[in-house]
C-alpha cells in the first residue's frame, strides 16, 4: 500500500459526459501528479501540482483540468468525454516534487467511455 | 524534448535466467533516472533510482547504472524469479522545462518456472 488513495476505482460513462477523479496524497506529501495509461499511448504525464499551485504540464488536453485543494487532495476533471479517453488514470505524490524524488502511485481509476 | 526509449517486450525468460532491459534517454538538462515496476492490477512502484552520472541504483537484486556518456540506464538482474513477472518502466525527471517526468513505453517480463 503506497498511501495514495484514488476514487472511484472504476467508472463507466458515455461520450460527451463529464467525470471527476479524486486523489488523496500520502500524508506529508505536497506534490501530486496525474498520469494517463492507455494501451496505445503508454504512460503519459498529464500535470503536476505542488502545494496548490500548478508546477508542470504535460500532454493534458484542454478538455481536462485539475486542481489541488488546501488539504492537498487533488481532482482531475475530464469533460466532453470521447471513446479515446478510456484509460487507467493514476495519481502519484511526492514530498517536494523535485526531480530526484520517488513518486508514490495510487491504484488508479479505470475509466471506460461507451 | 526529453524522451525515454526502452526495449520492446514482451520478454520471456526461464527462472534463474539473467535479465537485461535496455533504456536510453534524451534530456536537455541533468535528469534523475528511475525504474518503476507495475505488477498486475496495481499502480507503479519505485524499483530503483539514480540522481547523477555514475550512480548505481539497486534493489531486490536489480541494478542499473546511470551512464551519461551513453545516455543509458539499463536494468539488470542476475537470476530472475517467477515473482519478477511484471511491467518495467524506465523514467526520467528533469527540472528543465518544469519538473516533467517522462516514462518509457514499458517492457513486460514473463518468467516461467
Amino acid at each position: 500500500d503506497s498511501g495514495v488513495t484514488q476514487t472511484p476505482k472504476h467508472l463507466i460513462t458515455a461520450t460527451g459526459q463529464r467525470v471527476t477523479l479524486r486523489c488523496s496524497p500520502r500524508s506529508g506529501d505536497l506534490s501530486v501528479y496525474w498520469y494517463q495509461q492507455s494501451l496505445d499511448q503508454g504512460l503519459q504525464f498529464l500535470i503536476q501540482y505542488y502545494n496548490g499551485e500548478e508546477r508542470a504540464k504535460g500532454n493534458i488536453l484542454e478538455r481536462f483540468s485539475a486542481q489541488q485543494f488546501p488539504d492537498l487532495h487533488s481532482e482531475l476533471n475530464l469533460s466532453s468525454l470521447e471513446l479515446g479517453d478510456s484509460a487507467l488514470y493514476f495519481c502519484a505524490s511526492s514530498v517536494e516534487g523535485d526531480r530526484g524524488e520517488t513518486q508514490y502511485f495510487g491504484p488508479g481509476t479505470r475509466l471506460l467511455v461507451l | 524534448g526529453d524522451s525515454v526509449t526502452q526495449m520492446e517486450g514482451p520478454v520471456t525468460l526461464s527462472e534463474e535466467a539473467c535479465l537485461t532491459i535496455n533504456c536510453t534517454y534524451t534530456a536537455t538538462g541533468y535528469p534523475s533516472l528511475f525504474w518503476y515496476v507495475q505488477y498486475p492490477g496495481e499502480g507503479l512502484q519505485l524499483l530503483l533510482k539514480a540522481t547523477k552520472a555514475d550512480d548505481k541504483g539497486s534493489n531486490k537484486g536489480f541494478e542499473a547504472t546511470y551512464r551519461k556518456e551513453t545516455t543509458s540506464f539499463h536494468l539488470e538482474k542476475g537470476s530472475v524469479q517467477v515473482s519478477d513477472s511484471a511491467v518495467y518502466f524506465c523514467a526520467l525527471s528533469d527540472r528543465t522545462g518544469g519538473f516533467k517526468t517522462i516514462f518509457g513505453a514499458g517492457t513486460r517480463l514473463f518468467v516461467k518456472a
Side-chain angles (χ1 to χ4, degrees):
Chain A
D1 184 357
S2 67
V4 178
T5 60
Q6 290 187 247
T7 56
K9 289 192 76 168
H10 303 276
L11 202 45
I12 301 175
T13 188
T15 55
Q17 294 299 303
R18 173 190 168 94
V19 297
T20 297
L21 312 184
R22 183 187 168 102
C23 168
S24 292
R26 289 187 327 153
S27 177
D29 284 359
L30 297 177
S31 194
V32 167
Y33 312 74
W34 285 100
Y35 296 89
Q36 179 192 59
Q37 186 177 35
S38 59
L39 284 175
D40 56 342
Q41 295 283 328
L43 192 65
Q44 299 284 317
F45 167 70
L46 296 179
I47 198 163
Q48 179 198 1
Y49 280 84
Y50 173 73
N51 204 19
E53 303 274 334
E54 182 183 303
R55 174 169 271 187
K57 215 166 190 174
N59 300 320
I60 187 166
L61 299 172
E62 284 194 15
R63 301 183 286 107
F64 296 1
S65 65
Q67 55 183 324
Q68 187 179 26
F69 294 87
D71 67 352
L72 302 176
H73 90 272
S74 178
E75 293 181 356
L76 179 67
N77 299 296
L78 315 177
S79 61
S80 303
L81 285 167
E82 301 175 0
L83 295 178
D85 298 327
S86 295
L88 200 48
Y89 290 84
F90 286 110
C91 166
S93 73
S94 69
V95 179
E96 293 281 338
D98 207 349
R99 70 169 184 76
E101 287 187 333
T102 300
Q103 294 180 33
Y104 295 87
F105 282 75
T109 293
R110 187 173 294 280
L111 173 67
L112 181 59
V113 182
L114 299 175
Chain B
D2 294 357
S3 66
V4 174
T5 303
Q6 59 182 105
M7 65 186 283
E8 288 189 25
V11 174
T12 302
L13 296 173
S14 296
E15 209 166 22
E16 298 183 4
C18 294
L19 169 72
T20 299
I21 301 178
N22 291 334
C23 171
T24 57
Y25 68 91
T26 303
T28 50
Y30 299 93
S32 294
L33 301 174
F34 305 81
W35 278 101
Y36 283 85
V37 59
Q38 185 178 28
Y39 298 103
E42 297 183 12
L44 281 71
Q45 54 186 274
L46 180 73
L47 183 58
L48 52 83
K49 68 178 181 182
T51 57
K52 62 183 189 298
D54 299 325
D55 270 2
K56 177 187 278 190
S58 61
N59 185 27
K60 300 181 182 179
F62 290 90
E63 291 183 342
T65 302
Y66 189 142
R67 302 278 188 209
K68 192 164 182 289
E69 63 277 12
T70 55
T71 62
S72 65
F73 193 55
H74 304 320
L75 182 68
E76 298 177 327
K77 188 175 186 183
S79 176
V80 294
Q81 306 300 313
V82 171
S83 58
D84 294 327
S85 298
V87 182
Y88 292 82
F89 291 90
C90 184
L92 70 81
S93 179
D94 190 358
R95 186 175 293 158
T96 305
F99 295 91
K100 290 180 183 170
T101 304
I102 308 295
F103 282 79
T107 302
R108 185 175 295 275
L109 171 66
F110 291 105
V111 180
K112 302 181 297 185

